[in-house]
C-alpha cells in the first residue's frame, strides 16, 4: 500500500466501534463524534451499569441514539469498519485472544490502545491466531498508544534515520499522575496509595502486566533496527510518599507508595542494546527530583549520537493524544492488506488540519 492510498478520502464515513469506555474509550467516542469522516457504529461496555446507556451520555455529550451493550454478539453483528479496542491492560495477552480473533473474523479492522504494538513479541502461536483471524475477516490489526506506542518506540525509530552504527537506544518517560482522573489506573494498576506490603504483594502480577505491554515496544524497536533480542531484563523500584499528596483521582496518604521506576533492558550479543525506563509519580510538584522531572528523554548512541528532550508540556492532554493517535490510524489500517500491521508496515500516520 502506498501513502497515497491511505490518505485518499473514503467515499463514505468510517463506521467505528468503541470497545470499553474508561477514560480512554470515552475520549475516543468524543473524537469520533467530532470528525466528519467517521461515525459511531456501536459501543461495548464492561460494566453492567452502563448497558443500555446512550453512548453520547457515557462520553459526556448529548445523547446520540446509540446504546451501549455488554453482548459481544451484538458487536459482531454490526456493520462496522473498525473497532478501537481499549480495555484495561492485562498481564496475560492470551486471555484476550479469543475476543480479538472474533472481532477480526467478523470483518472488522482493529486498532488497539491496549498493546498489540508488536504482537510477534508473544510468539508464533499468538501471531498465527491473529493472522488467521485477519485472513478470515479480510482485515488488519494494529497497536497504537502514546506511552507504549510513540515516545518509547516510534520516536526512537524516527530519530534512528539520522544515525549509523547504532550501539544503544535509551528512552525515558517520567509521568506525573496528579491530574489523571482514573483511580483504577492510579491505585489498582500502578499501585499508588497502597501500603508497602500490599504493593509488594501485587508486584508479581504487575511485573507480568508491564512485561506484556513493554516487551512489545522493545521488540518493535529491535525489529526496526534489524536486531533480534535474546531476552528482556526487568527491574523495578518504588518510593513512599513523605507527605500526604493530592491527585485528581484521589488522595495518596503519607507513607504509601507514591512513585515507581520500571527499567526494561533488551539484551543482544550479551549486552543491553535497548533500554526503556518508565518513572511514575503521584504528584511530582510535591515530591523530590529523584528519578528526574516529568518529561521524556531519548538518546541514540551511534554516529552521530542523538538526544531529544521534551518536558511534560509536550502534550497538553495525554488521554486525548492517545485517542487521536488511534483514530488517525483508522484510515491506514482499513486500507492495509489483511494481517498484523505494525508501525513498520503502515505509511506515516498524520493528523488532520481543521480549517
Amino acid at each position: 500500500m502506498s501513502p497515497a492510498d491511505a490518505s485518499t478520502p473514503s467515499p463514505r464515513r468510517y463506521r467505528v466501534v468503541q470497545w470499553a469506555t474508561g477514560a480512554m474509550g470515552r475520549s475516543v467516542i468524543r473524537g469520533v463524534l467530532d470528525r466528519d469522516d467517521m461515525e459511531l457504529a456501536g459501543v461495548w461496555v464492561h460494566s453492567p451499569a452502563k448497558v443500555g446507556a446512550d453512548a453520547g451520555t457515557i462520553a459526556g455529550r448529548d445523547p446520540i441514539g446509540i446504546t451501549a451493550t455488554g453482548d459481544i454478539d451484538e458487536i459482531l453483528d454490526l456493520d462496522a469498519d473498525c473497532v478501537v479496542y481499549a480495555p484495561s491492560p492485562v498481564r496475560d495477552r492470551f486471555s484476550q485472544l479469543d475476543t480479538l480473533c472474533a472481532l477480526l473474523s467478523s470483518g472488522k479492522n482493529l486498532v488497539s490502545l491496549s498493546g498489540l504494538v508488536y504482537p510477534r513479541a508473544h510468539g508464533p502461536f499468538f501471531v498465527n491466531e491473529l493472522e488467521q483471524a485477519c485472513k478470515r475477516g479480510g482485515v488488519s490489526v494494529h497497536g497504537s498508544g502514546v506511552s507504549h506506542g510513540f515516545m518509547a518506540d516510534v520516536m526512537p525509530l524516527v530519530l534512528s534515520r539520522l544515525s549509523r552504527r547504532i550501539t544503544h537506544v535509551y528512552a525515558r518517560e517520567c509521568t506525573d499522575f496528579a491530574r489523571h482522573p482514573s483511580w483504577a489506573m492510579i491505585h489498582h494498576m500502578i499501585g499508588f496509595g497502597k501500603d508497602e506490603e500490599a504493593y509488594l504483594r501485587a508486584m508479581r502480577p504487575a511485573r507480568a502486566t508491564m512485561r506484556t505491554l513493554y516487551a512489545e515496544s522493545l521488540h518493535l524497536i529491535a525489529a526496526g533496527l534489524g536486531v533480534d533480542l535474546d531476552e528482556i531484563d526487568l527491574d523495578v523500584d518504588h518510593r513512599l510518599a513523605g507527605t500526604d499528596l493530592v491527585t485528581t483521582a484521589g488522595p495518596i496518604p503519607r507513607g504509601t507508595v507514591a512513585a515507581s521506576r520500571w527499567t526494561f533492558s533488551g539484551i543482544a550479543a550479551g549486552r543491553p542494546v535497548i533500554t526503556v525506563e518508565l518513572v511514575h509519580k503521584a504528584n511530582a510538584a510535591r515530591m523530590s527530583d529523584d528519578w528526574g522531572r516529568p518529561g521524556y528523554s531519548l538518546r541514540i548512541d551511534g554516529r552521530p549520537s542523538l538526544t531529544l528532550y521534551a518536558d511534560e508540556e509536550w502534550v497538553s492532554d495525554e488521554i486525548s493524544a492517545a485517542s487521536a493517535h488511534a483514530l488517525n490510524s483508522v484510515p491506514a489500517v482499513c486500507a492495509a492488506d489483511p494481517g498484523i500491521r505494525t508501525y513498520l508496515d503502515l505509511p506515516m500516520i498524520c493528523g488532520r488540519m481543521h480549517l
Side-chain angles (χ1 to χ4, degrees):
M1 178 185 66
S2 70
D5 295 328
S7 60
T8 301
S10 172
R12 66 179 181 87
R13 294 194 292 176
Y14 296 98
R15 288 177 53 78
V16 176
V17 172
Q18 175 54 39
W19 186 278
T21 57
M24 192 72 72
R26 296 193 299 272
S27 181
V28 171
I29 293 174
R30 293 190 292 271
V32 171
L33 297 179
D34 290 341
R35 293 182 65 132
D36 57 13
D37 64 337
M38 295 182 183
E39 61 180 299
L40 193 67
V43 173
W44 182 91
V45 291
H46 174 75
S47 169
K50 293 181 180 180
V51 172
D54 188 276
T57 303
I58 290 175
R61 296 284 183 87
D62 292 334
I64 58 175
I66 295 176
T67 57
T69 180
D71 186 345
I72 185 175
D73 289 331
E74 292 185 22
I75 298 297
L76 297 178
D77 289 340
L78 285 175
D79 174 21
D81 299 294
C82 188
V83 175
V84 177
Y85 188 76
S88 299
V90 296
R91 63 176 180 269
D92 179 12
R93 183 66 67 203
F94 288 84
S95 67
Q96 297 179 325
L97 189 56
D98 287 346
T99 298
L100 292 168
C101 289
L103 293 169
L104 294 167
S105 297
S106 73
K108 297 172 183 62
N109 296 279
L110 190 143
V111 175
S112 173
L113 276 162
S114 180
L116 302 184
V117 170
Y118 196 74
R120 292 174 182 84
H122 306 300
F125 176 81
F126 190 85
V127 167
N128 182 67
E129 292 296 298
L130 285 182
E131 289 282 7
Q132 291 302 313
C134 288
K135 183 177 180 179
R136 288 191 295 271
V139 294
S140 59
V141 56
H142 171 70
S144 178
V146 163
S147 55
H148 47 282
F150 191 76
M151 293 299 279
D153 42 40
V154 177
M155 186 56 77
L157 292 176
V158 172
L159 284 184
S160 72
R161 71 185 64 185
L162 303 180
S163 185
R164 59 188 175 89
R165 295 185 63 83
I166 296 169
T167 57
H168 184 258
V169 173
Y170 169 81
R172 174 186 173 275
E173 170 189 341
C174 180
T175 302
D176 183 3
F177 282 88
R179 293 178 294 174
H180 198 287
S182 173
W183 182 249
M185 169 68 78
I186 288 180
H187 183 73
H188 298 296
M189 294 181 60
I190 295 177
F192 291 166
K194 293 183 178 180
D195 62 57
E196 192 167 30
E197 182 180 352
Y199 180 82
L200 293 175
R201 282 200 308 269
M203 185 51 56
R204 184 172 181 179
R207 288 173 67 96
T209 300
M210 295 293 280
R211 183 183 292 275
T212 294
L213 283 174
Y214 287 94
E216 296 183 2
S217 295
L218 271 72
H219 279 288
L220 178 68
I221 296 172
L225 299 179
V227 174
D228 291 324
L229 297 181
D230 299 322
E231 62 176 314
I232 293 178
D233 185 49
L234 170 59
D235 182 62
V236 60
D237 197 1
H238 66 277
R239 294 285 187 271
L240 304 181
T243 187
D244 291 341
L245 300 174
V246 176
T247 74
T248 299
I252 309 298
R254 180 177 183 273
T256 64
V257 174
S260 59
R261 180 176 66 179
W262 298 78
T263 304
F264 304 84
S265 299
I267 310 297
R271 66 176 180 85
V273 295
I274 302 169
T275 302
V276 173
E277 184 179 72
L278 306 172
V279 176
H280 297 153
K281 294 188 175 184
N283 189 327
R286 300 193 60 198
M287 301 172 69
S288 74
D289 287 346
D290 286 356
W291 300 337
R293 301 300 300 165
Y296 296 82
S297 302
L298 300 177
R299 186 178 69 243
I300 295 178
D301 296 323
R303 296 183 182 176
S305 293
L306 307 164
T307 303
L308 175 68
Y309 296 101
D311 64 22
E312 63 179 327
E313 300 302 325
W314 83 282
V315 60
S316 61
D317 185 336
E318 289 192 345
I319 292 176
S320 179
S323 63
H325 199 194
L327 291 176
N328 287 331
S329 302
V330 168
V333 173
C334 290
D337 292 334
I340 295 170
R341 296 291 172 255
T342 73
Y343 292 108
L344 302 177
D345 307 305
L346 296 176
M348 183 171 64
I349 305 298
C350 297
R352 302 169 74 247
M353 183 169 286
H354 180 74
L355 299 176

